Amino acid sequence: MIKAPLSGILVALEDVPDPVFAQKVVGDGISIDPTTQQLLAPCDGTIIQLHRAGHAVTIATDASIEVLMHIGLDTVALKGQGFTPRVASGHAVRAGDPLIDFDADFVATHAKSLLTQIIVTARDGIVRLDPARGRVRAGEDVILRVRTEPAGGTVDRIDQTGRGVVSRTVRVPNPTGLHARPAAVLATLARPFNADVRLRLRGREANAKSVVAVMSLDVGHGDEVEVVAEGADADIAVKTVASALASGLGEQGVVASPPAAPSTSPDVARSVRPAPVNPNVLVGVAASGGVAIGRVVRFHRSEVSVPARGGSAVRRDSGAEALRHDAPGVPMAVHRFRGAG
């Protein structure tokens, strides 16, 4: 059982305004809209990860369960302001022990949200959760009942080749390092490969398929890491993960476009992007950098004849007509793009 680390209102993880948490990329769990300012241990265990910014901590239990608590959204950008950790990695804790004090007013006015996520994962097997609802009291009410099941399939059966593959050194460009969001993207990329994929930093290694393990490396901006893999897919795994690391794992603000030179003349003609020759090529200006994943929809204009009152036909532009999103032959697409500035 996982008890409430904070007093407040329980919020379904799907309703958290952050896709990495809402889509359970990090893992399953629940969120709390807190009314208290001290994060308590939700169970007995050992601290295995405390982020340098003081906003996230992970407890490992004797039952091979890991509980990650992430105070607020985008709070890593505060760089520790407003947070006072009361524990350190390696400390043994009991349910109800204080873990982190935080200034709720400061965090709420300087971060995206004060919603605090409690994520539960299992080192071996699959986690099944029964979440509670409503208002809870810190250290008293149970918010999650946990049971584990053996992992099915062959995902973790690695075909070892005995030959390790190591990437070139990659300098991490993320402004706040590999915090929860980029760590989750990294783990999602690594998991499908039939290989043991690890991230190496200053002689220490972490399982790249585990969000908590990646976060425990405490990789910061500018740190130089290597991707190490062994198994049937080692080559492609190293290439894919290292390339994603170098590009910032899709995080906003990683690669800044050079600022455009200011125009000195109001008469300078505005450049117009020419229409593509290939009708399947999309042109335009991206509002912000990122990755677009979804079904491609093509819009086109057509003219139809509409009978007028006098009997003569009047041609009118029907506006934009879209192909149905489930129309045959409409492909799924993954498109990476840069922002316009």
Side-chain angles (χ1 to χ4, degrees):
M1 295 187 299
I2 306 298
K3 291 186 176 181
L6 294 162
S7 296
I9 304 295
L10 292 176
V11 176
L13 207 58
E14 295 86 348
D15 295 331
V16 173
D18 186 303
V20 170
F21 287 113
Q23 296 172 18
K24 302 183 180 180
V25 176
V26 178
D28 201 359
I30 201 165
S31 183
I32 295 179
D33 192 356
T35 57
T36 53
Q37 303 184 82
Q38 185 178 69
L39 187 77
L40 305 181
C43 56
D44 298 347
T46 303
I47 305 296
I48 62 171
Q49 180 266 335
L50 176 67
H51 197 279
R52 70 174 72 181
H55 71 297
V57 62
T58 304
I59 295 177
T61 73
D62 293 338
S64 298
I65 298 295
E66 294 176 346
V67 183
L68 164 67
M69 288 157 284
H70 191 284
I71 303 171
L73 298 176
D74 292 341
T75 41
V76 66
L78 300 182
K79 300 180 179 180
Q81 295 184 71
F83 298 96
T84 305
R86 302 282 297 274
V87 293
S89 292
H91 282 186
V93 295
R94 301 294 298 270
D97 286 350
L99 302 178
I100 300 171
D101 294 333
F102 61 95
D103 184 337
D105 290 338
F106 179 84
V107 175
T109 55
H110 290 79
K112 181 178 179 180
S113 172
L114 197 55
L115 285 173
T116 296
Q117 288 56 248
I118 299 90
I119 308 297
V120 181
T121 58
R123 291 193 291 274
D124 299 302
I126 300 172
V127 168
R128 303 295 184 191
L129 301 178
D130 181 17
R133 296 181 180 179
R135 184 179 295 274
V136 291
R137 296 162 296 177
E140 298 184 29
D141 297 322
V142 174
I143 60 172
L144 293 168
R145 297 184 184 275
V146 184
R147 59 186 176 90
T148 59
E149 299 175 358
T154 59
V155 175
D156 294 324
R157 298 176 186 173
I158 306 301
D159 179 14
Q160 299 291 352
T161 63
R163 180 179 64 88
V165 179
V166 182
S167 73
R168 292 183 177 180
T169 299
V170 178
R171 187 181 296 274
V172 175
N174 302 68
T176 50
L178 299 186
H179 59 97
R181 188 179 294 111
V185 174
L186 176 66
T188 302
L189 286 173
R191 283 172 191 149
F193 294 111
N194 181 19
D196 177 18
V197 187
R198 310 189 76 78
L199 202 62
R200 179 185 294 168
L201 172 67
R202 294 188 285 272
R204 297 184 298 123
E205 292 187 356
N207 180 5
K209 298 182 180 182
S210 166
V211 177
V212 172
V214 172
M215 291 179 64
S216 69
L217 273 183
D218 202 14
V219 181
H221 173 69
D223 281 346
E224 296 183 342
V225 300
E226 294 173 322
V227 182
V228 183
E230 182 178 352
D233 295 340
D235 288 303
I236 185 63
V238 166
K239 182 178 180 181
T240 301
V241 174
S243 176
L245 269 170
S247 65
L249 296 163
E251 189 170 30
Q252 296 285 344
V254 172
V255 180
S257 301
S263 172
T264 56
S265 172
D267 299 326
V268 175
R270 182 181 179 184
S271 61
V272 179
R273 186 172 298 185
V277 176
N278 186 342
N280 294 320
V281 174
L282 303 177
V283 296
V285 177
S288 61
V291 178
I293 304 175
R295 193 172 296 277
V296 173
V297 180
R298 180 179 177 184
F299 291 84
H300 64 88
R301 290 187 176 276
S302 62
E303 293 182 343
V304 295
S305 296
V306 180
R309 291 184 178 181
S312 60
V314 178
R315 294 202 310 173
R316 294 180 179 174
D317 189 346
S318 67
E321 293 184 340
L323 295 177
R324 289 178 53 205
H325 73 277
D326 58 347
V330 180
M332 291 292 290
V334 178
H335 180 60
R336 187 177 297 277
F337 55 89
R338 286 189 177 182

